[in-house]
Amino acid sequence: MLSSVLGAIELGFLYALMALGVYITFRILDFPDLTVDGSFATGGGIAAVMISNGYNPLLASIVAFAGGIAAGACTGLLHTKGKINGLLSGILMMIALYSINMRIMRGKPNIAMISVDTVFTSINPWIVLPIFIIIVLLLMNWFLHTDLGLALRATGDNDRMIRSLGANTDTTKIIGISLANGLVALAGALIAQQSGFADINMGIGMIVIGLASVIIGEAIFGARNVIHATIAVVLGAIVYRIVVALALRVPWLDASDLKIITAVIVIVALVFPTVSRSIKQKKLAKKRTAELTGVLSKGAAGGDLHA
């Protein structure tokens, strides 16, 4: 049990990068980007090919990050310059990336990294990963408070207003989508190195996992501001992996049930805040009704006494 939880926490740190990328597109930009399912595998494929050919694992991870940025930029260009619907732009790029990833992986559906050094070979993940995530959070929050970052946030809130002020929303959208997919690809590269292989289908369902992390983090830890929200997303990714690890230990659940477990977690995370809010509103309405009834009763009693 303990080993499963510890392994889930380690995976949670890695998936937190992907969740932060999803947070940028879905929460900050309000852009339904499905490129994630393809760019995740792009990062893993680039890292696996480079490392298996003797390249430095750190360099391979950086190139994977750049590959994700390129994929995100293509999606952004399709949407902004090609005037294609945002959802459709992501779907088209996700489909295209399957073939691109197969090319990157030289026609092989998977690449194993056996007897080769990875970024995890000579480090203690329990020390390095938390520090790395903290650095990413600091850099991300610093960026989101720069002029460009504020323009990015404003574009997601009201792009028409920002355009009326003379800002180029096309540029901010392309930058935001590119950065998001860069983080997703970096997560794919690190997870491929941690698991020891990259697979052409490793990105399937990543968008749901990313959304689950974002929703769980916001539901449990709240999102009062950007800094608080990004921290909540990281913690949400860790909580999600722990819940999945514990669910898979249930005797009647198999590893093949991972997708349905993810779906149930997302449904609960989405429904719980709504139900909780509805219950609070009903309690508040009852309280106000009781107070109003009391005031009317006192008024009526006072009127009778005066008469």
Side-chain angles (χ1 to χ4, degrees), residues 103-126:
R103 288 277 186 175
I104 290 172
M105 299 171 68
R106 298 177 180 177
K108 299 177 182 178
N110 54 69
I111 295 178
M113 289 177 280
I114 302 172
S115 302
V116 294
D117 290 336
T118 67
V119 291
F120 296 97
T121 301
S122 58
I123 67 167
N124 184 343
W126 286 101

Side-chain angles (χ1 to χ4, degrees), residues 205 208-209 212 215-216 240 244 257-271:
V208 178
I209 295 174
I215 293 166
I216 290 170
Y240 167 78
V244 169
D257 297 322
L258 179 60
K259 300 300 181 184
I260 194 170
I261 292 171
T262 300
V264 170
I265 292 172
V266 173
I267 291 169
V268 171
L270 284 171
V271 171

